Amino acid sequence: KVSTLTLVFLYCITQPSWAWRGCPNEIDSTYRPTFHLISPCNWLNDPNGNIFINGTFHIFYQWCAYNTNGNCEKAWGHAYSKDLLIWTHVSPALVPWNPYDINGVWSGSALLDHETGEPVIMYTGINAQGLEVQVLALPQPNDPLFIHWETSPANPVIGSRPSGIVLSGGFRDPNLYFLGGQYFIQIG
């Protein structure tokens, strides 16, 4: 079953010049913050993969574009700013359309690759069976604002919870970091 949100995202990301053009319903801006990043509309959760590169701040966030309660296939919204005051929203960076994330692009993190200087995103995808898997995404070449992302052909890079690990909650929300010349992933 393919949801309306998935169909909207599939249409949007297949359009070569698609960018955020507005919300599906009118927004009353009377009480919206002026100097605080908020989604263009509806439900925002979990800031993810915040990076500063080439003089620009990027914030990715878990987002439901078409409802206000978070009950949807989650995507990653993306906004960038030069000064942390004025934000430009662009196309969703990650949307649920691969078999390993068809039921949602959940929380994760980003870091700058120490060899290439390019950002790398790792996030939890919810596959068709409802299982949490870990997924890598990289920016498309020649995209200085990192608006267009591609998932790795090796995905999911972690396809299941490792055996012998007992968790009281989910196997999600990977945190990438670089320490002592090595890359690490922390998953809660």
Side-chain angles (χ1 to χ4, degrees):
K1 179 183 170 195
V2 178
S3 71
T4 304
L5 178 65
T6 301
L7 290 174
V8 167
F9 280 139
L10 285 174
Y11 170 78
C12 293
I13 64 175
T14 59
Q15 304 308 304
S17 63
W18 188 87
W20 180 252
R21 290 189 172 86
C23 293
N25 43 4
E26 188 172 329
I27 301 296
D28 177 3
S29 62
T30 305
Y31 300 107
R32 287 174 67 86
T34 304
F35 297 110
H36 179 72
L37 175 69
I38 56 176
S39 65
C41 59
N42 295 326
W43 188 84
L44 174 147
N45 192 39
D46 295 354
N48 295 297
N50 307 322
I51 57 174
F52 178 76
I53 185 170
N54 301 330
T56 304
F57 297 92
H58 295 265
I59 292 185
F60 302 91
Y61 53 89
Q62 200 175 62
W63 185 40
C64 288
Y66 295 97
N67 76 40
T68 57
N69 65 12
N71 186 14
C72 69
E73 292 86 7
K74 291 155 183 71
W76 272 28
H78 177 201
Y80 67 87
S81 173
K82 294 284 188 183
D83 60 10
L84 295 175
L85 295 176
I86 299 169
W87 292 92
T88 301
H89 289 275
V90 294
S91 307
L94 303 168
V95 296
W97 79 319
N98 297 293
Y100 45 78
D101 65 12
I102 194 68
N103 286 316
V105 174
W106 285 21
S107 295
S109 63
L111 61 66
L112 298 179
D113 184 298
H114 286 267
E115 293 176 14
T116 66
E118 294 290 307
V120 176
I121 287 176
M122 185 175 221
Y123 66 92
T124 299
I126 308 300
N127 69 17
Q129 294 76 37
L131 300 175
E132 299 164 339
V133 299
Q134 309 313 313
V135 181
L136 281 177
L138 306 166
Q140 290 183 0
N142 303 314
D143 185 5
L145 291 175
F146 308 110
I147 294 171
H148 305 285
W149 291 79
E150 298 174 345
T151 54
S152 168
N155 284 325
V157 292
I158 302 175
S160 64
R161 182 183 302 201
S163 63
I165 294 183
V166 178
L167 297 172
S168 60
F171 180 65
R172 61 179 176 263
D173 308 339
N175 180 39
L176 296 170
Y177 61 99
F178 187 80
L179 181 66
Q182 292 184 324
Y183 290 96
F184 293 90
I185 304 166
Q186 179 180 356
I187 301 175

